Amino acid sequence: MSKITIATDWLAGCAGCHMSFLDIDDRILQLLEKAEFTSSPVTDLKHPPKEGVTVGILEGAICNSHNVEVAKQMRERCQILIAIGDCATFGGVPAMRNLCGTKEALKRAYLEAESNVGGLIPDSPELGTPLDEVVGVDKVVKVDLFIPGCPPSADALFYALSELLAGRTPVVLPPKYFKYD
Ligand code: SF4
């Protein structure tokens, strides 16, 4: 039987959710019996393969046009999309800038911060255009499963993937895996 393929990527986040993923530790060997990881920010392959994957995993919020492109590409190339972490679920920490607005946040961070001398607001096509509002992934693409938490525990991630690999879908996370801190 061919293995289930999994691709991961991150948007506006801190990489903490991917670190939690790595905290699965040696249990990842159990996952690898049934799954193959194709691309992720921690491998040489940064984009999900064109032929598509079974499961796509996204960390981080949507805060700029580049994030929108990455989320849409993952959605197009995966059958099941999982949003991991509070940022991907509802905006999380990056969405704090919504309180003052994008322009004000950029001005404060890059021009007015006490550590800046002759500051400059970054402006490069490679960075994407900042959006007026930071949102969760489901505001731009359909999400099939949310695993909230900042970050979600390795146990929660392992449970969700194990259920998927066992074909028990839709995955329902037991309450003990929900974190609200
Ligand atoms: S949910 Fe928390 S750990 Fe995950 S990317 Fe956001 S800030 Fe980082």
Side-chain angles (χ1 to χ4, degrees):
M1 197 172 79
S2 59
K3 288 189 172 181
I4 285 174
T5 48
I6 301 174
T8 81
D9 212 334
W10 56 39
L11 308 165
C14 72
C17 290
H18 271 73
M19 294 304 111
S20 198
F21 192 82
L22 295 177
D23 279 343
I24 287 176
D25 291 331
D26 57 349
R27 289 176 295 176
I28 205 159
L29 296 175
Q30 295 175 42
L31 299 179
L32 290 175
E33 288 174 10
K34 292 183 179 173
E36 173 192 352
F37 288 87
T38 61
S39 62
S40 88
V42 291
T43 67
D44 282 343
L45 293 173
K46 305 299 183 198
H47 301 286
K50 285 189 180 136
E51 60 271 25
V53 292
T54 318
V55 180
I57 297 175
L58 288 176
E59 162 194 323
I62 304 281
C63 83
N64 63 35
S65 56
H66 178 65
N67 299 150
V68 174
E69 288 167 19
V70 172
K72 285 185 173 173
Q73 183 183 68
M74 184 65 90
R75 177 70 272 182
E76 285 165 8
R77 295 185 181 184
C78 75
Q79 296 169 29
I80 299 168
L81 181 62
I82 307 177
I84 62 170
D86 287 351
C87 298
T89 300
F90 58 82
V93 173
M96 288 175 70
R97 89 172 187 213
N98 294 343
L99 296 172
C100 65
T102 299
K103 279 187 186 164
E104 194 58 36
L106 289 172
K107 185 158 73 87
R108 174 70 188 134
Y110 291 103
L111 301 181
E112 299 174 350
E114 288 68 12
S115 56
N116 278 345
V117 177
L120 196 65
I121 293 178
D123 182 19
S124 162
E126 289 184 4
L127 298 175
T129 307
L131 304 179
D132 290 337
E133 186 181 24
V134 179
V135 294
V137 174
D138 67 325
K139 291 293 186 288
V140 296
V141 294
K142 177 175 172 281
V143 172
D144 301 299
L145 175 65
F146 296 93
I147 308 179
C150 184
S153 69
D155 288 345
L157 297 171
F158 179 73
Y159 176 87
L161 285 174
S162 298
E163 289 293 287
L164 269 176
L165 295 178
R168 289 188 285 271
T169 57
V171 173
V172 179
L173 279 182
K176 68 176 180 179
Y177 291 130
F178 283 90
K179 285 179 61 182
Y180 298 99
D181 57 356

